[in-house]
Amino acid sequence: MTTGHPFDSAAPGQPVRLSDTLRVLLAPNPSALTGRGTNSYLIGRGEVTLLDPGPDDPSHLQAILAALSPGERITRILVSHAHHDHSDLAPALKAATGAPVFAFGTARDGLNPAWQAMSDLGGGEGCDHSFTPDILIADGEILTGGGWQLEALHTPGHLGNHLCFVMGDGIFSADLAMGWATSIVSPPDGDMSDYMASLDRLIARAPKMLWPGHGSPVEPALPRLEYLRSHRLGREAQILAALRDGPGSAAELAARIYTDVDPSLLPAAGRNVLAHLLDLHQRNKALASPAPGRDALWSLPAE
């Protein structure tokens, strides 16, 4: 995995050229969950496609517009998924450029209907429920520009409407796969079964490069994707081991397992544990009392 990339030291709003047809700008929204901030990608020259506008920050809007060369204009806005840190600036960018907004759907599209039927999951962190694209992108759809082509992949798991985009031997992986951290999977918007299937889909493509939603480009990509998969399987094994020690809620199990993280991140860790527990429940490997939910008491099935 590449370290010391020039993007690591780029200031927010400073465009970094990644190739002849690709530039990236960092949004000024650092946090424990976004790293240094959200990445906004400018794809192509002349007629430019913008992937992930980022947060609703006027300085970032101006930075995106200032990154265009004379004669260039944004003609298409892509949103990988409807989380505030990726989608909030879309309306202002559309107003400034006239470009339509493309996405798989709203924040409710692509979600697991079984989890939507449950009233006691909590969740909804970061979802932009006001987001409505102008044009829907289907799985497998091809988008083209001058000298480049994107293939859209519907990759739910982090969020139901999450898209990745294949360009050449690289993949814009948004929040599915990053180099600096693992992804949050928080039910009912996140689904661990979907997340693992989406990871497998990227692994099958064997990309050389990942351009993530947060953090620097990841190269080589395949070892990182395989690590993320093995990490999730290892976390599942830890949860099952914790349940062998005794029942517990998702929050209690997270506190047992995540012993080396900042306490402020334990709520997010608990959401990941809940996602694993729901996946285990679907596979008849964990039981919930009185029913699956945020505050359920989880245990192992009787042998």
Side-chain angles (χ1 to χ4, degrees), residues 3 26 53 57 64 97 115 144 186 210 236 246 260 266:
T3 58
L26 178 68
D57 185 306
I64 290 171
T97 63
W115 305 155
T144 60
S186 178
L210 298 178
E236 177 183 295
D260 58 349
L266 276 177

Side-chain angles (χ1 to χ4, degrees), residues 8-290:
D8 289 335
S9 57
Q14 176 187 343
V16 175
R17 180 177 175 273
L18 301 178
S19 73
D20 289 342
T21 56
L22 183 59
R23 292 160 283 176
V24 61
L25 292 87
L26 178 68
N29 61 325
S31 75
L33 298 180
T34 61
R36 295 181 62 230
T38 300
N39 296 338
S40 295
Y41 292 95
L42 295 164
I43 304 167
R45 292 287 182 176
E47 293 191 347
V48 175
T49 291
L50 187 287
L51 170 59
D52 280 349
D56 187 9
D57 185 306
S59 69
H60 190 53
L61 173 61
Q62 292 308 310
I64 290 171
L65 298 176
L68 298 171
S69 299
E72 285 191 320
R73 63 191 184 98
I74 293 172
T75 57
R76 182 192 286 134
I77 300 167
L78 304 182
V79 174
S80 65
H81 62 293
H83 274 155
H84 289 296
D85 57 317
H86 292 261
S87 61
D88 270 4
L89 191 62
L93 186 60
K94 175 185 174 180
T97 63
V101 177
F102 292 67
F104 181 81
T106 70
R108 311 308 298 170
D109 289 316
L111 299 178
N112 185 330
W115 305 155
Q116 297 310 298
M118 296 181 183
S119 60
D120 185 32
L121 286 181
E125 304 91 348
C127 282
D128 180 2
H129 292 293
S130 68
F131 176 73
T132 303
D134 299 307
I135 299 173
L136 300 181
I137 304 175
D139 180 52
E141 187 166 341
I142 303 297
L143 305 173
T144 60
W148 58 268
Q149 173 178 291
L150 295 179
E151 179 187 357
L153 301 180
H154 181 218
T155 49
H158 175 68
L159 188 62
N161 75 341
H162 192 283
L163 289 170
C164 292
F165 295 92
V166 181
M167 185 170 75
D169 58 8
I171 296 178
F172 294 97
S173 56
D175 283 7
L176 179 69
M178 302 172 285
W180 67 282
T182 56
S183 180
I184 296 295
V185 180
S186 178
D189 312 298
D191 181 280
M192 190 59 67
S193 301
D194 284 348
Y195 180 83
M196 296 299 286
S198 292
L199 270 184
D200 286 342
R201 195 172 187 195
L202 294 200
I203 289 170
R205 293 298 183 111
K208 293 182 179 179
M209 174 80 75
L210 298 178
W211 297 292
H214 307 276
S216 293
V218 179
E219 186 181 20
L222 195 54
R224 180 60 179 173
L225 291 170
E226 290 171 338
Y227 165 79
L228 291 172
R229 188 179 191 281
S230 66
H231 170 78
R232 296 293 179 175
L233 293 176
R235 189 68 75 200
E236 177 183 295
Q238 287 181 307
I239 292 168
L240 291 171
L243 287 173
R244 282 193 288 272
D245 291 336
S249 67
E252 291 166 347
L253 293 168
R256 291 187 214 168
I257 295 166
Y258 290 81
T259 58
D260 58 349
V261 304
D262 186 321
S264 68
L265 295 178
L266 276 177
R271 302 303 300 177
N272 269 328
V273 169
L274 179 59
H276 276 289
L277 289 166
L278 291 169
D279 178 41
L280 290 167
H281 177 74
Q282 288 189 126
R283 293 151 54 200
N284 299 314
K285 292 187 175 184
L287 298 176
S289 178

